[in-house]
Amino acid sequence: YQRRVRGSVLMALDQRQKVPLAKGHGLADWVRIVSSGKDFSLGGSLGNRITKEEVAKHKTEDDCWIILKGKVYNITPYLHYHPGGVKKLMMAAGKDATSLFGIISLL
């Protein structure tokens, strides 16, 4: 279906389509990683240390950064844990994903 949001068109096959995850890449596995205390923010926010131009350079599956609410994150380790699959996250690779994240989470 298509849904018009803030002047743009969001296209999806169905709402919140999930993909099968590889063994060892489930929610519990990700929670274990996050609980270890690892910080995936890159220690800066836009205008502070990291620019949008720098974030734009990191848009591959091997090196993927996004901006959420003005904070820069390295989401490379999370790609294969995402219930929507790598392709969904790669839509935001190297970009400010704040509005996209808000739209998707509302579906």
Side-chain angles (χ1 to χ4, degrees):
Y1 71 88
Q2 289 186 359
R3 181 174 170 194
R4 199 164 278 285
V5 180
R6 295 186 197 158
S8 64
V9 176
L10 172 66
M11 299 178 70
L13 297 174
D14 59 38
Q15 292 183 354
R16 299 189 80 165
Q17 183 178 10
K18 294 184 179 183
V19 299
L21 299 174
K23 185 175 182 175
H25 286 85
L27 177 59
D29 302 300
W30 180 250
V31 169
R32 232 183 334 275
I33 291 170
V34 172
S35 297
S36 73
K38 182 159 176 59
D39 183 7
F40 294 100
S41 70
L42 293 167
S45 57
L46 292 178
N48 186 8
R49 293 193 227 172
I50 302 170
T51 65
K52 285 186 178 183
E53 292 76 20
E54 180 62 28
V55 173
K57 296 175 187 176
H58 303 272
K59 57 184 178 183
T60 68
E61 285 188 39
D62 296 322
D63 182 24
C64 188
W65 295 7
I66 63 169
I67 302 165
L68 283 175
K69 297 182 180 178
K71 198 166 183 180
V72 180
Y73 293 91
N74 173 8
I75 63 166
T76 311
Y78 180 64
L79 289 175
H80 295 282
Y81 291 88
H82 187 265
V86 173
K87 288 172 95 174
K88 291 287 184 190
L89 283 180
M90 292 308 295
M91 291 171 51
K95 301 175 189 171
D96 187 331
T98 305
S99 61
L100 181 60
F101 181 79
I103 292 167
I104 300 298
S105 64
L106 292 174
L107 294 178

